[in-house]
Amino acid sequence: MKAVRLLEFGAQLLFVAFGRPYIANPDLVQRFAENAPLAEVDWDTVYGSGPSSYSDYPTYQPSELTRS
């Protein structure tokens, strides 16, 4: 992500927006905190284009191997 790269190079950012990642990751803050993988957006379900929507994405569940 561009914001992460900017921070790694010492940039001081006042605001950072994560619009698209939030669509597929309702638990985005937790995923960032745990360095968890991000889910990809399923564009066929975005903006009411079917019976499923962005609220149907599962939250991150760490496996037994990643819990320590």
Side-chain angles (χ1 to χ4, degrees):
M1 301 190 134
K2 187 175 180 181
V4 173
R5 288 193 304 268
L6 289 170
L7 290 170
E8 288 173 348
F9 285 105
Q12 294 182 3
L13 306 177
L14 295 177
F15 298 97
V16 177
F18 296 99
R20 288 185 177 182
Y22 262 119
I23 291 173
N25 299 278
D27 56 347
L28 187 64
V29 173
Q30 178 186 2
R31 288 177 188 248
F32 283 163
E34 297 179 12
N35 199 26
L38 298 180
E40 293 293 321
V41 176
D42 179 1
W43 290 106
D44 292 333
T45 65
V46 176
Y47 306 119
S49 58
S52 297
S53 67
Y54 66 89
S55 63
D56 294 324
Y57 284 94
T59 56
Y60 175 67
Q61 300 295 319
S63 69
E64 289 297 322
L65 296 175
T66 59
R67 293 181 196 163
S68 53

XYZ file of all heavy atoms in Angstrom:
539
model
N 0.832 -1.167 0.000
C 0.000 0.000 0.000
C 0.887 1.243 0.000
O 1.909 1.284 0.663
C -0.913 0.002 1.209
C -1.818 -1.186 1.292
S -3.030 -0.933 2.567
C -4.434 -1.463 1.667
N 0.454 2.223 -0.706
C 1.252 3.437 -0.860
C 1.514 4.118 0.481
O 2.616 4.584 0.740
C 0.539 4.397 -1.807
C 1.350 5.607 -2.158
C 0.629 6.453 -3.181
C 1.439 7.667 -3.533
N 0.764 8.520 -4.514
N 0.537 4.172 1.378
C 0.719 4.827 2.676
C 1.813 4.144 3.480
O 2.634 4.815 4.112
C -0.589 4.826 3.461
N 1.848 2.836 3.448
C 2.872 2.099 4.188
C 4.253 2.432 3.636
O 5.197 2.664 4.397
C 2.599 0.580 4.139
C 3.746 -0.207 4.750
C 1.288 0.252 4.834
N 4.367 2.466 2.322
C 5.670 2.806 1.718
C 6.100 4.215 2.103
O 7.260 4.462 2.402
C 5.603 2.646 0.200
C 5.559 1.209 -0.259
C 5.810 1.079 -1.753
N 4.883 1.860 -2.554
C 3.741 1.410 -3.052
N 3.380 0.171 -2.835
N 2.965 2.179 -3.774
N 5.167 5.155 2.106
C 5.502 6.525 2.488
C 5.972 6.585 3.939
O 6.944 7.268 4.262
C 4.301 7.443 2.275
C 3.939 7.742 0.830
C 2.596 8.465 0.747
C 5.028 8.562 0.157
N 5.295 5.869 4.813
C 5.697 5.854 6.225
C 7.074 5.218 6.402
O 7.866 5.663 7.226
C 4.652 5.117 7.065
C 3.328 5.842 7.233
C 2.299 4.915 7.865
C 3.490 7.109 8.054
N 7.360 4.176 5.640
C 8.657 3.523 5.724
C 9.782 4.472 5.327
O 10.904 4.349 5.819
C 8.690 2.280 4.839
C 7.866 1.144 5.388
C 7.754 -0.036 4.431
O 8.119 0.093 3.245
O 7.289 -1.080 4.882
N 9.494 5.417 4.449
C 10.496 6.385 4.024
C 10.490 7.647 4.871
O 11.109 8.644 4.536
C 10.311 6.741 2.543
C 10.775 5.658 1.618
C 9.862 4.858 0.966
C 12.130 5.427 1.415
C 10.288 3.843 0.117
C 12.566 4.420 0.570
C 11.638 3.623 -0.077
N 9.760 7.618 5.988
C 9.803 8.717 6.932
C 8.811 9.836 6.692
O 8.918 10.888 7.323
N 7.865 9.633 5.805
C 6.864 10.674 5.553
C 5.980 10.858 6.781
O 5.698 9.911 7.509
C 6.002 10.307 4.354
N 5.575 12.078 7.034
C 4.647 12.380 8.118
C 3.281 12.636 7.492
O 3.086 13.629 6.802
C 5.130 13.581 8.914
C 6.426 13.299 9.646
C 6.869 14.483 10.481
O 6.197 15.495 10.556
N 8.010 14.336 11.110
N 2.364 11.700 7.726
C 1.047 11.785 7.117
C 0.018 12.221 8.144
O -0.005 11.711 9.258
C 0.648 10.423 6.545
C 1.646 9.778 5.582
C 1.158 8.413 5.150
C 1.866 10.670 4.378
N -0.836 13.153 7.776
C -1.906 13.588 8.667
C -3.128 12.687 8.542
O -3.787 12.372 9.527
C -2.307 15.030 8.368
C -1.245 16.089 8.642
C -1.757 17.461 8.223
C -0.866 16.095 10.109
N -3.448 12.280 7.323
C -4.613 11.442 7.064
C -4.257 10.372 6.050
O -3.520 10.628 5.109
C -5.782 12.265 6.500
C -6.280 13.316 7.426
C -5.857 14.623 7.306
C -7.174 12.993 8.440
C -6.307 15.609 8.162
C -7.633 13.964 9.308
C -7.210 15.273 9.168
N -4.822 9.195 6.246
C -4.680 8.105 5.285
C -6.056 7.468 5.135
O -6.714 7.169 6.127
C -3.661 7.046 5.767
C -3.590 5.891 4.786
C -2.289 7.668 5.973
N -6.499 7.276 3.903
C -7.811 6.664 3.655
C -7.617 5.270 3.069
O -6.735 5.049 2.240
C -8.610 7.525 2.695
N -8.444 4.348 3.514
C -8.395 2.976 3.034
C -9.791 2.569 2.575
O -10.454 1.750 3.197
C -7.915 2.020 4.134
C -6.505 2.280 4.581
C -6.261 3.008 5.724
C -5.446 1.795 3.844
C -4.957 3.239 6.137
C -4.140 2.030 4.250
C -3.895 2.758 5.400
N -10.278 3.130 1.492
C -11.638 2.870 1.021
C -11.845 1.463 0.498
O -12.655 0.709 1.019
N -11.132 1.081 -0.527
C -11.327 -0.237 -1.127
C -10.968 -1.370 -0.175
O -11.696 -2.358 -0.120
C -10.559 -0.352 -2.440
C -11.196 0.457 -3.532
C -10.510 0.253 -4.847
N -11.207 1.010 -5.877
C -10.858 0.994 -7.131
N -9.830 0.281 -7.532
N -11.540 1.693 -8.003
N -9.872 -1.300 0.570
C -9.598 -2.392 1.504
C -10.702 -2.593 2.538
O -10.965 -3.707 2.962
C -8.287 -1.982 2.170
C -7.612 -1.124 1.165
C -8.736 -0.371 0.497
N -11.381 -1.512 2.946
C -12.472 -1.649 3.913
C -13.660 -2.400 3.326
O -14.411 -3.046 4.058
C -12.945 -0.288 4.420
C -12.354 0.093 5.749
C -11.585 1.228 5.871
C -12.578 -0.684 6.876
C -11.033 1.591 7.087
C -12.032 -0.336 8.095
C -11.259 0.803 8.199
O -10.717 1.158 9.390
N -13.873 -2.319 2.016
C -14.999 -3.016 1.405
C -14.901 -4.520 1.667
O -15.877 -5.158 2.026
C -15.073 -2.727 -0.111
C -15.466 -1.273 -0.346
C -16.049 -3.675 -0.809
C -15.412 -0.851 -1.798
N -13.731 -5.091 1.488
C -13.550 -6.535 1.639
C -13.044 -6.938 3.016
O -12.946 -8.126 3.309
C -12.580 -7.040 0.579
N -12.715 -5.971 3.856
C -12.139 -6.271 5.165
C -12.797 -5.408 6.232
O -12.234 -4.395 6.657
C -10.623 -6.004 5.144
C -9.918 -6.860 4.130
O -9.607 -8.002 4.382
N -9.681 -6.307 2.948
N -13.993 -5.788 6.685
C -14.663 -4.981 7.702
C -13.866 -4.895 8.997
O -14.084 -4.004 9.800
C -15.996 -5.694 7.905
C -15.786 -7.074 7.395
C -14.753 -6.974 6.329
N -12.906 -5.789 9.166
C -12.041 -5.806 10.338
C -10.626 -5.329 9.977
O -9.634 -5.815 10.511
C -11.987 -7.218 10.920
C -11.537 -8.252 9.890
O -11.506 -7.934 8.680
O -11.216 -9.381 10.281
N -10.549 -4.336 9.102
C -9.265 -3.889 8.559
C -8.279 -3.466 9.652
O -7.099 -3.813 9.587
C -9.482 -2.738 7.572
C -8.252 -2.284 6.800
C -7.733 -3.396 5.896
C -8.563 -1.049 5.981
N -8.753 -2.767 10.653
C -7.852 -2.312 11.722
C -7.224 -3.516 12.434
O -6.024 -3.540 12.696
C -8.609 -1.403 12.712
C -7.737 -1.065 13.907
C -9.082 -0.141 12.013
N -8.035 -4.529 12.720
C -7.509 -5.734 13.370
C -6.502 -6.439 12.466
O -5.454 -6.890 12.923
C -8.638 -6.695 13.722
C -8.144 -7.988 14.348
C -9.239 -9.005 14.579
O -10.391 -8.780 14.234
N -8.878 -10.126 15.159
N -6.812 -6.512 11.193
C -5.878 -7.161 10.256
C -4.549 -6.414 10.197
O -3.485 -7.033 10.163
C -6.497 -7.257 8.860
C -7.609 -8.279 8.779
C -8.229 -8.275 7.391
N -9.406 -9.092 7.325
C -9.493 -10.239 6.627
N -8.457 -10.672 5.955
N -10.606 -10.910 6.614
N -4.595 -5.082 10.185
C -3.352 -4.311 10.215
C -2.586 -4.577 11.502
O -1.375 -4.768 11.495
C -3.642 -2.814 10.093
C -3.969 -2.348 8.690
C -4.586 -1.129 8.502
C -3.660 -3.096 7.574
C -4.882 -0.668 7.229
C -3.951 -2.659 6.292
C -4.567 -1.434 6.123
N -3.279 -4.593 12.634
C -2.632 -4.788 13.931
C -1.970 -6.160 14.033
O -0.917 -6.297 14.661
C -3.650 -4.617 15.055
N -2.578 -7.168 13.405
C -2.055 -8.529 13.475
C -1.232 -8.908 12.253
O -0.822 -10.054 12.109
C -3.213 -9.513 13.649
C -3.957 -9.307 14.945
C -5.123 -10.257 15.115
O -5.234 -11.227 14.334
O -5.927 -10.025 16.029
N -1.009 -7.946 11.363
C -0.269 -8.191 10.123
C -0.889 -9.368 9.361
O -0.184 -10.216 8.823
C 1.215 -8.433 10.402
C 2.057 -8.223 9.174
O 1.688 -7.475 8.280
N 3.187 -8.891 9.119
N -2.214 -9.416 9.357
C -2.964 -10.498 8.712
C -3.149 -10.196 7.227
O -3.137 -9.038 6.811
C -4.324 -10.649 9.379
N -3.349 -11.225 6.425
C -3.584 -11.000 4.997
C -4.919 -10.298 4.768
O -5.849 -10.444 5.558
C -3.597 -12.417 4.412
C -3.921 -13.306 5.554
C -3.367 -12.641 6.787
N -4.986 -9.547 3.683
C -6.215 -8.839 3.329
C -7.025 -9.652 2.327
O -6.462 -10.274 1.427
C -5.900 -7.468 2.729
C -5.163 -6.488 3.626
C -4.922 -5.183 2.881
C -5.914 -6.254 4.917
N -8.346 -9.626 2.487
C -9.239 -10.263 1.522
C -9.346 -9.370 0.292
O -9.263 -8.149 0.388
C -10.613 -10.475 2.145
N -9.540 -9.981 -0.855
C -9.708 -9.247 -2.101
C -11.171 -8.855 -2.270
O -12.072 -9.579 -1.846
C -9.271 -10.092 -3.287
C -7.788 -10.382 -3.324
C -6.955 -9.143 -3.572
O -7.362 -8.286 -4.385
O -5.899 -9.020 -2.937
N -11.412 -7.727 -2.902
C -12.774 -7.276 -3.167
C -13.393 -8.160 -4.245
O -12.780 -8.415 -5.283
C -12.786 -5.803 -3.637
C -14.198 -5.373 -4.009
C -12.214 -4.896 -2.580
N -14.595 -8.646 -3.996
C -15.366 -9.378 -4.995
C -16.300 -8.364 -5.641
O -17.372 -8.049 -5.118
C -16.156 -10.507 -4.336
C -16.997 -11.290 -5.315
O -16.973 -10.973 -6.531
O -17.690 -12.218 -4.880
N -15.897 -7.823 -6.779
C -16.618 -6.717 -7.397
C -18.024 -7.088 -7.840
O -18.866 -6.224 -8.047
C -15.806 -6.125 -8.544
C -14.610 -5.412 -8.025
C -13.320 -5.839 -8.085
C -14.585 -4.181 -7.316
N -12.486 -4.941 -7.459
C -13.246 -3.902 -6.968
C -15.556 -3.271 -6.922
C -12.864 -2.772 -6.269
C -15.166 -2.138 -6.222
C -13.842 -1.905 -5.912
N -18.318 -8.379 -7.963
C -19.673 -8.793 -8.328
C -20.663 -8.587 -7.185
O -21.874 -8.661 -7.403
C -19.689 -10.266 -8.753
C -18.955 -10.497 -10.060
O -18.883 -9.560 -10.881
O -18.457 -11.622 -10.264
N -20.166 -8.355 -5.979
C -21.061 -8.180 -4.822
C -21.099 -6.743 -4.312
O -21.806 -6.455 -3.359
C -20.625 -9.089 -3.665
O -19.334 -8.691 -3.199
C -20.586 -10.545 -4.074
N -20.369 -5.855 -4.934
C -20.256 -4.482 -4.445
C -21.442 -3.638 -4.923
O -21.905 -3.782 -6.050
C -18.926 -3.854 -4.908
C -18.819 -2.405 -4.500
C -17.758 -4.645 -4.324
N -21.914 -2.768 -4.060
C -22.947 -1.779 -4.380
C -24.288 -2.406 -4.772
O -24.944 -1.952 -5.703
C -22.472 -0.793 -5.439
C -21.165 -0.133 -5.075
C -20.048 -0.284 -5.861
C -21.059 0.611 -3.902
C -18.849 0.302 -5.509
C -19.858 1.200 -3.542
C -18.755 1.043 -4.350
O -17.574 1.618 -3.993
N -24.668 -3.462 -4.066
C -25.993 -4.031 -4.244
C -26.227 -4.716 -5.569
O -27.353 -4.742 -6.065
N -25.206 -5.289 -6.164
C -25.375 -5.918 -7.472
C -25.806 -7.386 -7.361
O -25.767 -8.101 -8.333
C -24.076 -5.805 -8.272
O -23.011 -6.403 -7.558
N -26.217 -7.822 -6.184
C -26.670 -9.199 -6.008
C -27.113 -9.436 -4.580
O -27.117 -8.514 -3.764
N -27.483 -10.686 -4.247
C -27.970 -10.976 -2.895
C -26.880 -10.884 -1.828
O -27.173 -10.684 -0.654
C -28.523 -12.393 -3.007
C -27.821 -12.990 -4.177
C -27.536 -11.852 -5.119
N -25.633 -11.030 -2.208
C -24.513 -10.881 -1.267
C -23.982 -9.470 -1.370
O -24.130 -8.808 -2.393
C -23.403 -11.869 -1.601
O -23.854 -13.187 -1.456
N -23.336 -9.022 -0.304
C -22.782 -7.672 -0.330
C -21.508 -7.615 0.491
O -21.045 -8.623 1.020
C -23.796 -6.675 0.217
O -24.005 -6.924 1.601
N -20.963 -6.419 0.611
C -19.717 -6.279 1.355
C -19.870 -6.662 2.817
O -18.895 -6.982 3.481
C -19.146 -4.868 1.207
C -19.982 -3.781 1.825
C -19.794 -3.420 3.142
C -20.941 -3.118 1.083
C -20.559 -2.428 3.706
C -21.708 -2.125 1.639
C -21.515 -1.779 2.957
O -22.267 -0.804 3.527
N -21.091 -6.665 3.342
C -21.280 -7.056 4.744
C -21.208 -8.570 4.937
O -21.233 -9.053 6.056
C -22.622 -6.523 5.260
O -23.682 -7.113 4.529
N -21.078 -9.328 3.846
C -20.990 -10.783 3.937
C -19.553 -11.300 3.993
O -19.338 -12.506 4.096
C -21.698 -11.427 2.731
C -23.186 -11.170 2.750
O -23.774 -11.144 3.847
O -23.761 -10.978 1.663
N -18.571 -10.416 3.915
C -17.183 -10.872 3.975
C -16.882 -11.395 5.378
O -17.268 -10.766 6.375
C -16.213 -9.737 3.652
C -16.123 -9.396 2.191
C -16.894 -8.388 1.642
C -15.256 -10.084 1.357
C -16.809 -8.069 0.299
C -15.157 -9.768 0.011
C -15.938 -8.766 -0.511
O -15.843 -8.459 -1.838
N -16.191 -12.521 5.478
C -15.857 -13.040 6.808
C -14.745 -12.225 7.460
O -13.906 -11.646 6.771
C -15.384 -14.463 6.525
C -14.883 -14.425 5.121
C -15.720 -13.384 4.409
N -14.758 -12.187 8.777
C -13.672 -11.539 9.492
C -12.489 -12.489 9.573
O -12.635 -13.704 9.422
C -14.103 -11.113 10.909
O -14.583 -12.267 11.595
C -15.195 -10.059 10.852
N -11.339 -11.940 9.802
C -10.111 -12.730 9.862
C -10.116 -13.630 11.082
O -10.386 -13.190 12.195
C -8.893 -11.800 9.887
C -7.587 -12.528 10.065
C -7.104 -13.375 9.073
C -6.855 -12.391 11.226
C -5.908 -14.046 9.238
C -5.652 -13.059 11.387
C -5.186 -13.890 10.389
O -4.006 -14.553 10.555
N -9.837 -14.906 10.865
C -9.729 -15.883 11.940
C -8.333 -16.484 11.868
O -8.045 -17.266 10.973
C -10.779 -16.991 11.782
C -12.204 -16.495 11.792
C -12.596 -15.880 13.132
O -12.236 -16.397 14.179
N -13.293 -14.774 13.086
N -7.447 -16.102 12.796
C -6.098 -16.656 12.752
C -6.122 -18.170 12.971
O -6.946 -18.671 13.752
C -5.353 -15.943 13.865
C -6.397 -15.347 14.728
C -7.640 -15.223 13.922
N -5.263 -18.875 12.273
C -5.184 -20.313 12.457
C -4.437 -20.613 13.748
O -3.807 -19.745 14.347
C -4.462 -20.952 11.270
O -3.098 -20.590 11.299
N -4.482 -21.852 14.175
C -3.762 -22.258 15.392
C -2.272 -22.011 15.230
O -1.579 -21.711 16.182
C -4.034 -23.729 15.694
C -5.434 -24.007 16.169
C -5.761 -23.330 17.497
O -4.869 -23.267 18.367
O -6.881 -22.834 17.639
N -1.756 -22.114 14.003
C -0.328 -21.923 13.767
C 0.090 -20.475 13.939
O 1.219 -20.193 14.334
C 0.049 -22.396 12.362
C -0.132 -23.886 12.097
C 0.165 -24.206 10.635
C 0.758 -24.704 13.004
N -0.819 -19.536 13.631
C -0.451 -18.124 13.722
C -0.695 -17.546 15.106
O -0.249 -16.457 15.399
C -1.221 -17.281 12.696
O -2.618 -17.427 12.913
C -0.856 -17.691 11.290
N -1.420 -18.265 15.966
C -1.663 -17.788 17.326
C -0.480 -18.148 18.209
O -0.107 -19.283 18.338
C -2.924 -18.419 17.915
C -4.181 -18.002 17.247
C -5.359 -18.652 17.907
N -6.500 -18.545 17.027
C -7.585 -19.272 17.138
N -7.701 -20.158 18.075
N -8.578 -19.120 16.287
N 0.125 -17.145 18.814
C 1.216 -17.413 19.763
C 1.481 -16.220 20.619
O 1.054 -15.154 20.397
C 2.481 -17.816 19.033
O 2.838 -16.891 18.040
